[in-house]
Amino acid sequence: KAGVTQTPRYLIKTRGQQVTLSCSPISGHRSVSWYQQTPGQGLQFLFEYFSETQRNKGNFPGRFSGRQFSNSRSEMNVSTLELGDSALYLCASSLVPGSNEKLFFGSGTQLSVL
Amino acid sequence: GQNIDQPTEMTATEGAIVQINCTYQTSGFNGLFWYQQHAGEAPTFLSYNVLDGLEEKGRFSSFLSRSKGYSYLLLKELQMKDSASYLCAVYNAGNMLTFGGGTRLMVKP
């Protein structure tokens, strides 16, 4: 059974550009959540999707957005990139949302903003 | 707000026992997770606690005290491969998972 797949693995952008990251969950998993990981802040929750609906959103500006498709694949978009957006973006999936559901993480997309 | 505290770094010796503490202050509580993350890799699930007490799984155990807002992860018979970051995460009443900053554990021979 394939794990959570994130593409691309590495990305270099310049300030002001926009970027789209992709996440394919484990087959059968319908819940996808996104996290930003930086050395100083640790993992910070971005948003969670289930059945194409955003269930929860973290404390990030509106430049960060996401969506989920009918096949449970998810994308996140960051517009007007800033230097501080440089981070590892992790996607995680679970069968359904729920406080007792363990998350399966992808290897992440390392975004560098120059 | 949500606040989860863990030590930034710990060092231990191969074969020893180490305890990684996590204290939390969150708006409600719906469960606590521990994840392991090796450098450059994805976090992987270690344990889940929702009731007070100790959950044992092989060399790893996790303890929870909800009244104290406290958990620890206990690693026994340390191996070099246990060198990694250990992440404590809490589900709050709004079903949002908040992670602590992680504890980087270095195991020395």
Side-chain angles (χ1 to χ4, degrees), chain B residues 10-109:
Chain B
M10 298 183 71
T11 303
T13 305
E14 192 175 17
I17 299 173
V18 71
Q19 177 174 313
I20 302 174
N21 295 324
C22 171
T23 57
Y24 62 88
Q25 290 176 306
T26 56
S27 50
F29 177 84
N30 276 333
L32 185 145
F33 288 85
W34 285 95
Y35 286 85
Q36 179 191 59
Q37 186 177 26
H38 285 100
E41 297 183 11
T44 55
F45 169 82
L46 284 178
S47 69
Y48 170 70
N49 295 70
V50 66
L51 299 176
D52 290 351
L54 188 67
E55 294 281 341
E56 297 187 81
K57 192 185 293 185
R59 294 189 298 115
F60 293 8
S61 303
S62 57
F63 172 83
L64 174 67
S65 168
R66 289 172 297 171
S67 62
K68 295 181 179 177
Y70 168 69
S71 173
Y72 67 72
L73 181 69
L74 193 71
L75 291 74
K76 303 176 186 175
E77 300 168 17
L78 279 173
Q79 302 175 8
M80 298 299 292
K81 68 178 182 179
D82 297 329
S83 293
S85 288
Y86 292 85
L87 312 175
C88 173
V90 175
Y91 256 113
N92 65 12
N95 276 329
M96 278 180 54
L97 190 62
T98 301
F99 281 83
T103 298
R104 186 181 166 203
L105 174 66
M106 288 175 282
V107 180
K108 296 187 174 180

Side-chain angles (χ1 to χ4, degrees), chain A residues 6-11 19 21-22 33-46 60 64 76 78 81-92 105-113, chain B residues 36-44 85 87 99:
Chain A
Q6 290 188 247
T7 56
R9 185 71 179 90
Y10 300 95
L11 206 48
V19 67
L21 312 181
S22 179
S33 51
W34 289 88
Y35 294 84
Q36 181 195 66
Q37 187 174 33
T38 57
Q41 300 290 324
L43 265 89
Q44 292 189 285
F45 172 74
L46 281 156
F60 277 82
F64 292 80
M76 67 163 280
V78 188
L81 283 167
E82 300 177 0
L83 295 178
D85 297 333
S86 295
L88 179 67
Y89 290 88
L90 290 164
C91 165
F105 284 86
S107 297
T109 294
Q110 183 68 55
L111 173 64
S112 297
V113 182
Chain B
Q36 179 191 59
Q37 186 177 26
H38 285 100
E41 297 183 11
T44 55
S85 288
L87 312 175
F99 281 83

